[in-house]
Amino acid sequence: MINPKLLRSDLDFVADNLAKRGYVLDKNKLRLLEVSRKELQIKVEQLRQQRNKISKSIGKNKGKGLDISEIKKDVDNVSASLINEESKLKQVNENLDRLTQDLPNLLHESVPQGKDDSSNKLHTEWGSPKTFSFDPLDHVELAEGLGLIDLEGASKLSGSRFAVLRNDLAMLHRALAQFMIDIHTLEHGYEEMYLPYLVNSQTLFGTGQLPKFKQDLFFVDGEKDLALIPTAEVPLTNLLRDKIVKAENLPMKLVAHTPCFRSEAGSYGKDTRGMIRQHQFDKVELVQIVKPEDSYNALDELLSHAEIILRKLNLPYRVVTLCSGDTGFSASKTFDIEVWLPSQNCFREISSCSNCEDFQSRRIKARWKNLEMQKPELVHTLNGSGVAVGRALIAILENYQNEDGTITIPDILRPYMKNREIISTN
RNA sequence: GGAGAGAUGGCUGAGUGGCUGAAAGCGCUCCCCUGCUAAGGGAGUAUACAUUAAUAGUGUAUCGAGGGUUCGAAUCCCUCUCUCUCCGCCA
């Protein structure tokens, strides 16, 4: 959520910033609501004060054995108008909440201007796209050729956008997740977490999935208020909800391997082939909770942690800074890592690393105790994929394919693959 | 699934209708004392919002959440959530 104080003190600044995303803020509506909110709130608080005072005097007079019937008449009058004003205030506050909860985060000044992903700016590049002496196959052809994927089976079980992996491919998938977690815990100082895959709507509100993006989620049918997580960022970040963290415990660095579930509403016809865009995919997620002044250094660090995974796997990639129109709802600034896919002859997103500044922490009231100020302040939250397991699997199949349709296992994964060097039909 | 107990400030824990934003202890901050260490003495110490130049005052709200009773609720009533104990069941 955007700082409500800023929203009041400098509405034009907020509106201009949001306009960079293409978000049109109804300034007049907001101003009008704010004016009546203020008016009503002052009125309500004054009435409450009166009522409290009179009630206290009733207590005192009663104690002395005095008559209280006159005072009771006074309090009845006050209560009547209080109830009236309170209901008006409630209305206004509801309207105001609905408006402000739907506002995306303010963008960092370094975010490039642009409408959509075509304006994303190249940040860095690593490795060079591999050239093949033969026509490289795509991951579906490779996996089917080796008999390691069962898309028919998956659609029988669950419909489109699911996959069944078999044998060595299932093992490779598991190896990738294990490898990534090991690097982040052993070399980057993250604490490994095991998390619920179902969370309640308060949790989803906290990280910004609700109320605006309900249609992207899978809710459980029934009396329980639960939805499948679209990313481990949701449970990880919400662990800090209503907490005041000691300064010496920052930064907090958390990593979790979870499946992620997305309805992919609105992406009909997009990436329908293979495993690129699925309703269910695995991801190793990194979350950092930091002091505000550290958050942009932390973003660089988080990004480098995700990059190292691809370097160790020797997969060519590039990093782009998302432009204003492409940056997600909760983020102030986002870097995407895109891995090279030979079959598509282009880079595809495999990680997204964001600094949400205090946008999420305000929603979840995640604070730290600033020793100099002697006051709790909001922390900054960051998250990034380190990296998407399903897409890493695709990248390995395609980049490590041989002319005979076999797959060479990357050196670094061999210890996780019973020290084998190759995936073939034998 | 059955039976019972509980949820109070950073933590532990008192508090069954007004004098309680909340005893006490721990922790933390500051000061004093003590030639080190250990110990002792004193003061302070919730959050949000509104008003304000103000992190000065003042006011409002908050004792798991939401409703209700009452002039007045941490305290009484209802609903929900969660935690713990015992029994059953189960991976």
Side-chain angles (χ1 to χ4, degrees):
Chain A
M1 228 140 50
I2 293 176
N3 186 351
K5 280 182 183 154
L6 185 65
L7 215 46
R8 265 172 261 155
S9 64
D10 205 346
L11 187 55
D12 289 331
F13 169 80
V14 173
D16 289 348
N17 191 298
L18 295 184
K20 293 184 197 169
R21 292 179 179 265
Y23 188 96
V24 183
L25 180 60
D26 190 342
K27 286 197 277 188
N28 262 338
K29 188 176 175 189
L30 201 59
R31 264 198 207 102
L32 284 173
L33 279 169
E34 181 48 35
V35 166
S36 50
R37 194 221 93 237
K38 195 167 182 172
E39 211 174 277
L40 287 166
Q41 183 168 338
I42 291 172
K43 214 183 268 178
V44 162
E45 287 185 3
Q46 279 173 347
L47 287 167
R48 281 195 191 133
Q49 186 186 358
Q50 280 181 37
R51 187 202 55 196
N52 290 347
K53 265 189 188 159
I54 300 173
S55 293
K56 267 194 179 153
S57 73
I58 288 180
K60 278 180 193 153
N61 286 351
K62 231 180 170 180
K64 292 180 199 158
L66 298 171
D67 179 46
I68 52 167
S69 54
E70 275 304 307
I71 312 179
K72 274 205 178 181
K73 271 184 205 160
D74 291 347
V75 88
D76 284 344
N77 284 333
V78 174
S79 293
S81 42
L82 178 59
I83 287 167
N84 188 25
E85 300 299 319
E86 269 178 338
S87 75
K88 285 195 230 164
L89 178 62
K90 198 179 161 201
Q91 274 273 303
V92 170
N93 272 333
E94 276 168 11
N95 286 335
L96 215 46
D97 286 347
R98 213 170 312 138
L99 206 69
T100 54
Q101 285 169 5
D102 277 1
L103 299 181
N105 198 358
L106 295 173
L107 293 167
H108 190 258
E109 56 188 8
S110 64
V111 172
Q113 178 63 35
K115 214 173 172 181
D116 52 40
D117 58 0
S118 63
S119 301
N120 293 344
K121 206 174 123 199
L122 183 65
H123 180 70
T124 53
E125 239 174 323
W126 187 86
S128 42
K130 193 174 171 183
T131 50
F132 291 87
S133 57
F134 54 95
D135 273 349
L137 303 177
D138 80 2
H139 69 280
V140 180
E141 293 164 321
L142 287 162
E144 280 182 336
L146 292 163
L148 298 178
I149 193 167
D150 182 5
L151 292 171
E152 206 180 303
S155 83
K156 178 170 69 185
L157 298 177
S158 312
S160 65
R161 293 203 190 281
F162 289 93
V164 169
L165 307 183
R166 303 183 56 207
N167 210 325
D168 288 348
L169 198 55
M171 181 162 63
L172 184 62
H173 185 264
R174 176 162 55 90
L176 272 166
Q178 299 268 57
F179 153 70
M180 291 178 202
I181 290 191
D182 282 350
I183 298 297
H184 295 311
T185 54
L186 299 174
E187 296 182 17
H188 301 153
Y190 288 77
E191 182 185 347
E192 181 175 356
M193 309 291 277
Y194 173 79
L195 301 163
Y197 304 153
L198 288 163
V199 295
N200 59 35
S201 46
Q202 197 189 347
T203 302
L204 290 155
F205 173 83
T207 27
Q209 280 73 26
L210 289 180
K212 209 172 186 179
F213 304 101
K214 193 166 185 213
Q215 73 283 355
D216 296 340
L217 299 167
F218 285 112
F219 269 87
V220 171
D221 226 355
E223 74 280 14
K224 289 257 187 190
D225 166 41
L226 291 171
L228 288 160
I229 55 170
T231 158
E233 167 202 345
V234 174
L236 280 178
T237 307
N238 272 279
L239 281 173
L240 274 291
R241 190 162 79 220
D242 297 319
K243 292 258 190 204
I244 300 174
V245 192
K246 287 184 185 159
E248 68 252 35
N249 291 333
L250 296 176
M252 286 178 65
K253 296 159 80 173
L254 308 173
V255 59
H257 163 219
T258 70
C260 304
F261 303 90
R262 301 187 181 177
S263 77
E264 294 299 340
S267 60
Y268 304 108
K270 222 196 232 175
D271 299 316
T272 48
R273 180 175 167 79
M275 294 177 59
I276 288 270
R277 189 176 301 274
Q278 305 253 285
H279 287 312
Q280 172 187 322
F281 62 95
D282 277 30
K283 186 152 64 68
V284 169
E285 182 75 0
L286 306 172
V287 159
Q288 289 204 23
I289 311 298
V290 305
K291 297 178 193 172
E293 74 238 39
D294 298 335
S295 69
Y296 279 93
N297 285 335
L299 180 59
D300 290 339
E301 189 194 86
L302 189 75
L303 174 64
S304 77
H305 292 156
E307 283 183 62
I308 284 170
I309 297 298
L310 299 184
R311 293 188 187 201
K312 286 186 188 275
L313 291 170
N314 207 15
L315 292 168
Y317 68 87
R318 67 179 188 186
V319 178
V320 297
T321 311
L322 295 194
C323 75
S324 55
D326 206 26
T327 301
F329 180 77
S330 297
S332 283
K333 184 174 184 177
T334 300
F335 292 112
D336 270 9
I337 304 178
E338 301 177 334
V339 70
W340 178 255
L341 290 189
S343 71
Q344 301 194 357
N345 205 39
C346 70
F347 290 97
R348 291 301 303 256
E349 178 186 344
I350 194 166
S351 169
S352 194
C353 299
S354 301
N355 183 359
C356 298
E357 298 194 12
D358 62 10
F359 185 83
Q360 294 178 324
S361 59
R362 183 169 291 108
R363 289 167 98 96
I364 65 178
K365 295 184 184 66
R367 293 170 296 176
W368 68 292
K369 189 117 183 192
N370 185 337
L371 292 174
E372 281 142 49
M373 304 293 286
Q374 278 301 312
K375 257 203 95 161
E377 290 177 351
L378 296 171
V379 295
H380 280 193
T381 64
L382 301 99
N383 63 77
S385 357
V387 298
V389 178
R391 290 199 179 169
L393 188 74
I394 292 171
I396 284 170
L397 289 179
E398 296 199 2
N399 282 282
Y400 280 83
Q401 63 178 294
N402 302 309
E403 188 160 13
D404 60 0
T406 61
I407 312 293
T408 302
I409 298 170
D411 289 346
I412 195 112
L413 292 180
R414 289 181 188 171
Y416 299 90
M417 293 289 287
K418 302 184 171 136
N419 291 314
R420 288 167 42 200
E421 292 174 19
I422 203 150
I423 294 175
S424 64
T425 42
N426 318 316

